[in-house]
Amino acid sequence: MKVSVIIPVYNSEKYVRTAVESILKDPLDDFEIMLIDDGSTDSSGKICDELQKEYSKIVTYHKPNGGMCSARNFALQHAKGEYITFMDNDDICHEGFVGENYKIAKKYDADVVRFGREYLVLDHDKTIHRDVYQPKKEIAYYDDDIYNHYEEIRESNGVWTGMYRKSFLDEHNIRFDETLRHGHEDTLFNLDAYKHAKTIAMNPHSYYVWMRRYEHSSSAKLNQNRLDGIYKALKVENDLMTEKGVRSSYFDVYSRRIMNYCAESIIAGFAYGNTCTFSQFKKICKRARKIINNTYIRKKHLDFKSKVVFTLLKFRLYLVLFVLCKILYR
């Protein structure tokens, strides 16, 4: 079998059929769609069984709830494809998501293929924000040259903008961190893949539609697991960039990557409806300031917004930053 498409499914009765049927439009003849029902409490599991009966390419598994990472790891144990890709249960893809990326993978004998995506923020099914990312050209990078193009390869974090050789993942035991449930599980998976990859191919087309459905909740608390994911990914990426020479040869790239994590930790208390007290926020700011100081990143390498955050952290203007976040993410 050429490709396995892994879809963890949890309480997605409104969206999972649309997600699956968008993949089935792909003209590739030999691939499977793996639906991993992760202990859903709605009718998602039943819908997955119905889809398996309707379409020969679909195989459904049911397991106790363990989170997305657990479901993906379960699927990796059972996948039959030469290559693996992923989809979330409430997104869709464009034709070519499977077949055209498999073609690129075979053309360059790639361990990893990276491709583009469309990002939509929806409020009650109305699009309130849209952007598109796609690599600049079709090209493959080999061995140490991968790290001469590190910023390009790292432009998109999601595993659903990647295709991975199954034997490569197994050989290096590349799996998802099941302790993380609220962010950066994809980052850690990809960083592990990049660390071991001999060939990474870039496909300059957008195939995946990532949909963020905005659900505001004024009572949501700061998610510590999300912060844990940020700090864990930052350490792993810092070590990788240092080991592979990105820090010494491309300090501008290194500075931007580190600052991205600091900025993300700052807004983690406010984005997606979370609430954060100033005492919590101050602790996050102090840690971000310590990271900036310890890594010696430079303000001149950052974009305007990052420069503002960098400056406010450097001068310990945490209250100003707190007010700005409250205004921007209210």
Side-chain angles (χ1 to χ4, degrees), residues 78-279:
H78 296 84
K80 299 175 181 177
E82 179 187 1
Y83 280 85
I84 304 291
T85 192
F86 300 89
M87 177 181 251
D88 287 352
N89 60 192
D90 56 350
D91 293 333
I92 60 171
C93 67
H94 298 306
E95 187 174 309
F97 171 64
V98 183
E100 291 183 18
N101 286 299
Y102 178 75
K103 183 178 179 181
I104 292 287
K106 296 298 288 183
K107 179 178 179 179
Y108 295 102
D109 192 27
D111 293 321
V112 179
V113 178
R114 300 299 299 170
F115 49 90
R117 58 98 182 113
E118 181 179 2
Y119 174 51
L120 302 178
V121 179
L122 304 175
D123 187 1
H124 297 94
D125 295 325
K126 180 182 179 181
T127 300
I128 59 176
H129 174 77
R130 176 183 181 270
D131 70 57
V132 177
Y133 156 75
Q134 52 197 47
K136 294 178 182 178
K137 60 182 178 180
E138 181 184 316
I139 194 169
Y141 300 120
Y142 301 92
D143 301 316
D144 290 342
D145 192 43
I146 288 170
Y147 295 93
N148 295 326
H149 304 276
Y150 186 75
E151 192 166 37
E152 177 186 355
I153 290 166
R154 285 288 289 115
E155 184 71 22
S156 176
N157 255 348
V159 292
W160 24 253
T161 51
M163 184 171 280
Y164 309 83
R165 195 199 310 265
K166 173 71 160 57
S167 60
F168 161 75
L169 297 178
D170 292 342
E171 177 186 356
H172 298 287
N173 194 31
I174 298 170
R175 294 294 188 266
F176 292 90
D177 184 338
E178 295 185 19
T179 68
L180 299 181
R181 290 190 173 220
H182 297 280
H184 282 292
E185 61 278 352
D186 287 17
T187 304
L188 290 168
F189 184 92
N190 278 326
L191 291 173
D192 202 9
Y194 301 154
K195 180 177 181 178
H196 297 288
K198 298 298 182 183
T199 307
I200 298 178
M202 311 298 287
N203 184 350
H205 299 285
S206 176
Y207 299 97
Y208 193 87
V209 184
W210 173 27
M211 291 186 278
R212 173 82 68 181
R213 291 175 174 84
Y214 179 75
E215 294 178 1
H216 182 75
S217 172
S218 60
S219 61
K221 295 181 179 179
L222 174 65
N223 192 307
Q224 185 60 45
N225 188 260
R226 184 172 186 84
L227 285 173
D228 292 343
I230 293 169
Y231 298 140
K232 184 177 287 191
L234 179 138
K235 182 183 185 306
V236 170
E237 186 153 20
N238 180 59
D239 291 347
L240 180 64
M241 288 190 291
T242 301
E243 176 188 342
K244 298 296 185 179
V246 176
R247 180 174 183 169
S248 57
S249 298
Y250 301 97
F251 196 74
D252 58 332
V253 174
Y254 174 82
S255 293
R256 288 190 287 273
R257 293 302 317 156
I258 296 297
M259 191 62 206
N260 280 348
Y261 286 108
C262 293
E264 187 178 356
S265 71
I266 294 299
I267 69 171
F270 304 94
Y272 315 121
N274 288 334
T275 58
C276 183
T277 65
F278 180 65
S279 61

